[in-house]
Amino acid sequence: MKADTVKVRCLRLFSLTCLVVTGCADALDDPLHDAPATGRARQALVDPDATYLPGVSYFGSNRYIEYIPGDLPLIFTAPHGGDLEPSAIPDRTPETCGVPRIATVTDANTQEQARALHAAFYSRTGRYPHVIVNRLHRVKLDANRALAEAACGAPRAEAAWDDYHAFIEVAKARILRDHGKGWYTDLHGHGHEALRLELGFDMNGDALRHTDEELDADPTYEAGSTLRTFSEQSPLSFSTLLRGPSSLGSIFANAGYDAVPSQSIPAPTVDQVFFSGGFNTVEHGCKDGGMICGAQIESWRVGVRDTAANRARFATTAVEVFDEFLSTNFGIHVPLDPQRAAEPGTFIVVDNDNAGNDLTRARFHAASSWSTTANNQQKHLGDFRLSSGDGPSSDGAEFFFYIGAPGVYDVDAWWPSASTRTEAASYRVFELDGGPMLADLTRSQRTDGGQWNSLGTFTFPHVGWAKVLISRYLSGPGSLAADAVRVTLVAADDRAPIARIDPTPTVPEGSLVSLDAGHSFDFEGHSLTYTWRLGEGLTATGRLATHVYPDNGLYRVDLTVADPEGHTGAVSRLITVTNVAPTVNAGPDVVITSGDVFALHATFEDPGVHDAPWSWEVDWTEATDGGATDDKAAGLPLSHRFCMAGEHLVRLTVTDKDGGVGADTARVDVGRYRVGIDVQPSFFYLDGNPALQAAWNAVPITAHVLSTPAFDATRLRVDTVRLTNLAGSGTSVATLPGGQWHALPADINGDGRLDLVLFFRRADLIASGDLTPDTTALHLVADAADCRQVLGSQPVRVIR
């Protein structure tokens, strides 16, 4: 088998569909996987490098798995919505799967719900989400389980499981390549008593019943959720993203679909069943990292997924919900830019050959019993379809056309007439595929060939795919032709305008927020009026609105747009205002003297109007102070008396009530307090004669420290006194035989103030290196009892 061989076969089905297969030429006919069911790598017959066209269906082996590629950063999967029960795949049972219980109940209409979402996104954006559908009934394959339980060892089911998850990986790879990040949604249905959406982020009811504070305090909740990566990168708390005002559940609830978790329903009660997520969201979300996060959505049936109209209504709402949720919280934008309403007379032609159709608006599908022939000059284009004889009830030809705007449409059919044709061709018109039938008609195809023939004028009330069905089973005797259908707009409903707010920013508090409604949209092209509610009781009008939010938090902005007929559209967005830390000014650098009081005239600014109280702390380096203030305008008049000489980096820190921290540093250079000293003798002999040196050493050296009106020399702490040449280690005051310091007060200069006389030994000065042949001055340093550090200096002379 040549693994690099790629075959693409395009088939005439509901849409242009392609079967993408890798392998040898016979793989289409017998695409079985013979590898064991467990302990094996995925072996999908899917080529990840193939060209996938957005909006076109592709199929895996045996056409069990369908992939509709997209060009939006969104993936929707429907693992439990299939209805195929091929006999080639044995049923999943506890015995075949080797487990006590097996779930085989189908989530009704979730496949159709995925298709409705696909249509709604295209209607609103002109682009497609990625959609992957398991077409097998759950009794044959559960695509939301690990392989062993999903396929229970059946080779064809294993192949389908491989294809299903391989297509999801293809979609993820394209999203990361084209958008950098994206969102994954796994669609399910529940039958629980509480009619609400159950949003599964892989957090069970017990976890959700914790308080927001508990969820945010324990990082394992965030790390264990399928919101993990986006939450870790967000300025919002995990609980806010999970069930706050801007959460997926809260936005759905605001749009009319109750949800849990949300702001209104934060958690299920203890006695309520709750589906918290499954294999797919864990496998393809960001619980283990990555830039595609996601959730499981379990929807109730009646009102959401029971009818085509309800599915279309939910899907239209979901487009708005996902846009608001993803753009507000994660910067993932859904480009809501629908096409203008078509003018009356605009038409869509659906030909029986999809090669001639605009597949975004027109698609054809016929059962295999319909042959293709060109043997009639009245054909619409190159050929037409022909069916003869009786057929089963499903043996029909379907002409699908996309209703982009609800309204009134003429529907016409074209057929090539012949005498052998039926006189009772059955035409049925449906407002939506799978929706109510608008008309059940018969037409004779023996006449009026080669022209458009009216089937009637109908009101199509919903955006989406409608269809005309030509039924072989219901038609009378004779051959039946299916050639083309034309749908012409007579009058479009005046649709409500679409409100849009650009951007939905995250801004710092105190900053000007600029909001623009310029991308709001009216389908009929009418001018719009704009009304804003900005929060805090403020309103504004006009396309542009600006406001300064005074404090951090989440602020809801509401915009209502109206057209001249009074139709309105509304949208809400949450503005995230982040806290701004105070800006601190500790003042200029200064030079002072030891013992001086330094006044720190500090100020700070904070754009948060409601950020009081502000706590402050100042580190003086030799002490700290702290306090709080409610008045930032008053500044912080702080002071400190510096004792220690040297450089001090004074750091002032201010913290607002939200934890924002600002700081600044001022340098304070503290010099020693200068005092007068008199050293005697002021000259020294260092001549090397031992006898002479011994005589000199017997003579004490005195240092007289003189008092002044501002300084009391007797308050020096004698134990801190050092006499030094600044090169030696410093020489202490001599001690008396009893161990007392040799120091005494005396009025040396006769000014009536007691000075301090200090005695030093010449030998000690020499030993400490403070008296050397190079000494030119002696300096006295000491600490005073009043905390001042002092310095006195005197030149000296050394004689050799």
Side-chain angles (χ1 to χ4, degrees):
M1 179 178 289
K2 296 181 179 179
D4 59 349
T5 301
V6 178
K7 288 189 174 289
V8 179
R9 297 187 179 181
C10 295
L11 310 172
R12 297 178 186 272
L13 293 169
F14 166 79
S15 63
L16 176 63
T17 57
C18 298
L19 181 64
V20 180
V21 179
T22 62
C24 63
D26 64 353
L28 265 174
D29 300 319
D30 188 21
L32 297 183
H33 292 258
D34 298 323
T38 58
R40 56 193 273 289
R42 291 181 185 168
Q43 303 177 39
L45 298 184
V46 172
D47 179 9
D49 299 319
T51 298
Y52 295 95
L53 301 177
V56 176
S57 289
Y58 296 81
F59 291 85
S61 58
N62 291 304
R63 298 175 49 78
Y64 294 151
I65 307 300
E66 180 181 0
Y67 171 41
I68 311 175
D71 45 10
L72 290 171
L74 302 171
I75 302 172
F76 292 96
T77 56
H80 295 159
D83 56 8
L84 300 180
E85 298 186 48
S87 59
I89 299 178
D91 288 352
R92 298 170 61 248
T93 65
E95 292 74 24
T96 60
C97 293
V99 294
R101 294 174 56 192
I102 286 291
T104 59
V105 177
T106 294
D107 291 344
N109 296 334
T110 51
Q111 176 183 168
E112 292 78 3
Q113 189 177 44
R115 299 186 194 280
L117 286 162
H118 183 261
F121 273 97
Y122 179 76
S123 174
R124 289 300 312 280
T125 70
R127 303 183 188 182
Y128 299 100
H130 297 260
V131 172
I132 297 94
V133 171
N134 170 28
R135 302 175 69 224
L136 288 170
H137 193 285
R138 197 175 181 186
V139 75
K140 301 296 183 179
L141 174 68
D142 187 337
N144 191 33
R145 295 289 188 273
L147 178 62
E149 185 180 345
C152 299
R156 288 178 182 261
E158 290 181 345
W161 186 92
D162 287 337
D163 292 340
Y164 182 85
H165 292 282
F167 276 135
I168 297 176
E169 294 297 336
V170 168
K172 291 165 61 179
R174 275 153 176 72
I175 287 174
L176 294 176
R177 179 194 66 191
D178 298 336
H179 304 279
K181 57 185 174 181
W183 186 261
Y184 170 72
T185 303
D186 200 35
L187 298 171
H188 294 262
H190 71 76
H192 300 157
E193 183 177 347
L195 302 183
R196 61 196 184 193
L197 303 177
E198 297 179 6
L199 307 182
F201 299 100
D202 207 34
M203 297 186 64
N204 61 26
D206 288 339
L208 292 175
R209 283 186 285 273
H210 285 285
T211 66
D212 290 348
E213 292 75 16
E214 290 170 337
L215 292 178
D216 294 333
D218 187 345
T220 60
Y221 290 113
E222 177 184 63
S225 80
T226 57
L227 279 171
R228 174 185 173 179
T229 305
F230 288 175
S231 180
E232 290 173 345
Q233 296 177 351
S234 173
L236 301 178
S237 67
F238 172 62
S239 64
T240 297
L241 294 173
L242 180 70
R243 60 192 180 194
S246 65
S247 67
L248 184 61
S250 295
I251 299 173
F252 262 122
N254 291 337
Y257 293 91
D258 286 342
V260 58
S262 64
Q263 196 171 30
S264 57
I265 312 175
T269 60
V270 174
D271 60 341
Q272 289 176 330
V273 179
F274 173 72
F275 292 140
S276 60
F279 177 84
N280 287 344
T281 49
V282 174
E283 181 79 358
H284 300 294
C286 63
K287 182 174 180 177
D288 295 324
M291 292 304 294
I292 295 181
C293 294
Q296 175 177 291
I297 295 184
E298 293 268 358
S299 60
W300 73 96
R301 190 177 70 85
V302 177
V304 179
R305 53 186 171 90
D306 56 334
T307 68
N310 284 336
R311 291 192 294 271
R313 188 177 300 110
F314 174 78
T316 300
T317 300
V319 174
E320 301 287 342
V321 168
F322 276 107
D323 173 52
E324 181 175 350
F325 171 65
L326 296 174
S327 63
T328 298
N329 295 304
F330 310 127
I332 299 175
H333 297 283
V334 178
L336 301 185
D337 190 16
Q339 300 298 310
R340 298 284 182 189
E343 296 293 330
T346 303
F347 61 86
I348 301 171
V349 173
V350 188
D351 190 72
N352 75 93
D353 185 354
N354 277 319
N357 290 329
D358 175 359
L359 296 175
T360 64
R361 306 169 66 219
R363 295 172 176 175
F364 176 80
H365 169 249
S368 59
S369 60
W370 290 75
S371 62
T372 302
T373 180
N375 190 22
N376 191 307
Q377 294 300 315
Q378 295 179 345
K379 60 185 179 292
H380 177 244
L381 292 177
D383 55 27
F384 61 96
R385 301 302 182 91
L386 191 65
S387 179
S388 301
D390 295 333
S393 60
S394 61
D395 195 4
E398 297 170 297
F399 295 84
F400 297 93
F401 45 94
Y402 191 80
I403 299 296
V408 178
Y409 292 79
D410 286 334
V411 180
D412 304 301
W414 182 297
W415 59 80
S417 62
S419 60
T420 57
R421 297 281 190 269
T422 180
E423 290 186 296
S426 172
Y427 286 87
R428 288 184 164 186
V429 182
F430 294 85
E431 69 174 39
L432 284 173
D433 179 29
M437 183 170 60
L438 299 177
D440 186 359
L441 311 166
T442 59
R443 294 290 187 270
S444 174
Q445 291 190 347
R446 292 187 180 183
T447 60
D448 301 323
Q451 66 182 33
W452 290 112
N453 300 286
S454 175
L455 297 180
T457 301
F458 308 98
T459 297
F460 291 89
H462 302 292
V463 172
W465 289 96
K467 74 176 179 179
V468 170
L469 168 67
I470 301 178
S471 172
R472 170 70 270 176
Y473 177 76
L474 297 173
S475 297
S479 63
L480 182 64
D483 198 347
V485 166
R486 183 179 67 184
V487 182
T488 305
L489 177 63
V490 177
D493 292 349
D494 190 1
R495 299 171 65 183
I498 303 299
R500 292 280 290 162
I501 300 175
D502 296 313
T504 51
T506 297
V507 297
E509 62 186 359
S511 297
L512 182 70
V513 178
S514 297
L515 303 168
D516 188 352
H519 284 98
S520 297
F521 185 88
D522 186 73
F523 290 93
E524 291 71 41
H526 297 146
S527 61
L528 297 173
T529 59
Y530 309 87
T531 303
W532 299 85
R533 291 199 305 272
L534 302 173
E536 302 185 311
L538 299 176
T539 62
T541 58
R543 182 175 67 85
L544 301 175
T546 59
H547 184 54
V548 176
Y549 290 95
D551 198 15
N552 57 292
L554 288 173
Y555 294 86
R556 176 170 171 155
V557 172
D558 299 306
L559 169 66
T560 301
V561 297
D563 64 17
E565 286 72 34
H567 299 99
T568 61
V571 68
S572 299
R573 288 290 185 267
L574 289 173
I575 307 299
T576 301
V577 180
T578 58
N579 186 50
V580 177
T583 301
V584 179
N585 182 0
D589 298 339
V590 297
V591 177
I592 62 173
T593 299
S594 176
D596 289 349
V597 175
F598 167 62
L600 180 68
H601 296 291
T603 60
F604 69 94
E605 298 291 335
D606 193 331
V609 173
H610 305 299
D611 277 0
W614 293 271
S615 61
W616 58 266
E617 181 179 84
V618 58
D619 182 356
W620 304 104
T621 70
E622 56 185 29
T624 58
D625 287 320
T629 180
D630 290 325
D631 186 2
K632 63 183 177 183
L636 297 172
L638 309 173
S639 62
H640 178 70
R641 186 180 189 188
F642 278 94
C643 298
M644 296 178 61
E647 179 184 88
H648 297 261
L649 296 178
V650 177
R651 183 174 179 83
L652 174 63
T653 302
V654 179
T655 305
D656 65 23
K657 71 170 176 53
D658 300 306
V661 178
D664 190 32
T665 300
R667 188 178 72 188
V668 180
D669 289 318
V670 180
R672 286 180 175 269
Y673 184 82
R674 289 284 182 169
V675 297
I677 64 171
D678 180 19
V679 178
Q680 295 296 331
S682 61
F683 61 92
F684 302 92
Y685 288 97
L686 297 176
D687 61 2
N689 185 315
L692 189 58
Q693 289 301 318
W696 279 111
N697 287 341
V699 178
I701 298 173
T702 61
H704 304 158
V705 183
L706 305 178
S707 295
T708 67
F711 173 69
D712 184 355
T714 63
R715 300 199 62 195
L716 285 183
R717 291 171 47 202
V718 178
D719 62 316
T720 67
V721 172
R722 299 292 185 273
L723 191 62
T724 178
N725 62 1
L726 302 182
S729 60
T731 303
S732 299
V733 175
T735 56
L736 296 172
Q740 303 92 342
W741 296 109
H742 196 176
L744 56 91
D747 183 1
I748 301 298
N749 55 7
D751 61 358
R753 300 183 184 89
L754 289 177
D755 306 308
L756 185 63
V757 181
L758 302 170
F759 295 85
F760 299 87
R761 294 187 178 90
R762 182 174 180 272
D764 292 344
L765 280 152
I766 294 173
S768 63
D770 290 308
L771 186 60
T772 69
D774 297 323
T775 299
T776 60
L778 289 176
H779 310 273
L780 187 142
V781 295
D783 296 346
D786 62 2
C787 107
R788 282 184 283 188
Q789 293 187 323
V790 303
L791 170 66
S793 302
Q794 178 180 315
V796 296
R797 183 181 178 190
V798 176
I799 302 173
R800 298 187 181 186

